Amino acid sequence: MTFEEVKHKIVTGGTPETLEEVCDDIGVLTRGISGVEQSIALRLYDSYVLHGRHGWAGWAMETFGYYSDKATFYRRCGVGEILWRLRAAETVLFRKHLGTDISKLEALLPFMARQVGKPRPGFGALVNFLKLRWKDAWSREQVRDEVDRAIHPDKCAEDSPVQLAFDFDALTPQDEEKIVAFIEEKRLSPGQAGLLVMNGSRITAAALPYMTAHPEEFDAEDIPYLEEMRARLEDAARDIASLIAVKSQEVARQ
């Protein structure tokens, strides 16, 4: 296969079934020019899954000889896992970051690393970071600093997550004015406001199926309430679409 064919197979989610296929693909990729390191990282993770953890790094060094130390193989395999998960669950982010410099991708690895005595932040935290905080203009050092702030917010009081000052009960109607006052009082950043919106959308996505599965539980008096709910969601969708359009135009002009 040509470099372009192997790259296309990787981008579209083609998964090797054998270690021999991994070796063939990496052999082709090492002769390429653009997007080589990211694609190799994906195939290294595929080889890790197929081979198994025990003895993998030694086998990879002997088989590929592309890097000179086991630590690099493990880091690139970690990047491959991140890209693999993005490809499976967040296609837009995957296509975007398949072109991100490999050193910046390595700076994201702490999200997936286990911390002694603490649960690792995990893939969900990584996705939130990429969606709400990531800036393409960041240097590798800036990515490292921002990742550290995201994972260890207690290190910097200014970046500590703001705790809700109002009582929040998911099963009690919320006063919109209090929420607005909270946002203004705490001077939430756009990213923090985005987290509120994201969490609200996840609550909606999780609860809505249980609601719509039982129309018999609602009557005519509930229609205005349902109409208001729909209108708010439609307004939110339009506002988000407008934001996407603005950012897309900015990207197109770059």
Side-chain angles (χ1 to χ4, degrees):
M1 298 181 73
T2 66
F3 173 78
E4 289 74 17
E5 289 172 334
V6 172
K7 187 76 178 293
H8 176 74
K9 182 170 62 172
I10 291 173
V11 170
T12 55
T15 302
E17 297 181 357
T18 66
L19 288 173
E20 289 74 15
E21 188 177 347
V22 171
C23 294
D24 290 343
D25 285 351
I26 289 182
V28 173
L29 290 170
T30 55
R31 299 195 295 269
I33 299 175
S34 63
V36 170
E37 297 293 346
Q38 299 87 339
S39 297
I40 289 176
L42 270 162
R43 280 301 183 248
L44 284 177
Y45 178 67
D46 287 327
S47 75
Y48 180 87
V49 172
L50 289 168
H51 182 280
R53 179 179 180 181
H54 182 69
W56 171 81
W59 170 86
M61 285 188 66
E62 181 179 349
T63 302
F64 303 120
Y66 194 61
Y67 307 116
S68 60
D69 59 281
K70 291 183 179 180
T72 301
F73 272 99
Y74 275 119
R75 289 198 309 274
R76 297 302 165 85
C77 181
V79 169
E81 180 184 6
I82 288 174
L83 292 172
W84 189 94
R85 288 175 177 268
L86 288 176
R87 185 179 62 188
E90 298 286 346
T91 305
V92 174
L93 286 178
F94 168 71
R95 291 181 179 274
K96 171 184 174 67
H97 289 287
L98 189 61
T100 295
D101 185 84
I102 195 72
S103 65
K104 293 183 182 180
L105 293 176
E106 286 187 350
L108 299 174
L109 290 175
F111 278 108
M112 309 298 288
R114 290 179 174 83
Q115 303 179 61
V116 178
K118 298 180 180 179
R120 59 182 173 182
F123 181 68
L126 169 63
V127 169
N128 281 341
F129 178 83
L130 293 177
K131 287 184 175 180
L132 301 175
R133 301 182 67 165
W134 176 270
K135 303 295 182 186
D136 291 337
W138 283 342
S139 66
R140 177 183 60 183
E141 289 70 24
Q142 286 174 309
V143 174
R144 287 175 175 171
D145 290 344
E146 293 298 328
V147 168
D148 189 58
R149 289 191 183 96
I151 295 177
H152 307 289
D154 53 308
K155 288 185 177 180
C156 180
E158 293 182 359
D159 291 331
S160 295
V162 180
Q163 299 299 318
L164 294 182
F166 54 88
D167 293 331
F168 179 76
D169 182 347
L171 299 180
T172 300
Q174 300 300 309
D175 187 336
E176 186 172 349
E177 292 183 358
K178 288 185 178 180
I179 298 175
V180 172
F182 161 74
I183 293 173
E184 294 178 348
E185 177 188 352
K186 298 299 182 181
R187 298 181 180 179
L188 298 190
S189 68
Q192 290 170 326
L195 280 174
L196 286 179
V197 175
M198 177 65 76
N199 288 335
S201 69
R202 287 175 174 169
I203 291 173
T204 300
L208 191 59
Y210 294 91
M211 175 182 170
T212 56
H214 299 283
E216 71 279 0
E217 295 294 327
F218 301 90
D219 53 35
E221 294 180 355
D222 293 316
I223 292 178
Y225 157 77
L226 296 172
E227 290 285 2
E228 179 187 359
M229 188 185 305
R230 183 180 68 176
R232 285 178 176 273
L233 292 173
E234 289 176 346
D235 287 345
R238 281 194 295 270
D239 289 344
I240 293 173
S242 177
L243 176 59
I244 293 172
V246 170
K247 299 307 297 182
S248 297
Q249 290 175 0
E250 291 179 1
V251 171
R253 288 195 295 267
Q254 292 178 355

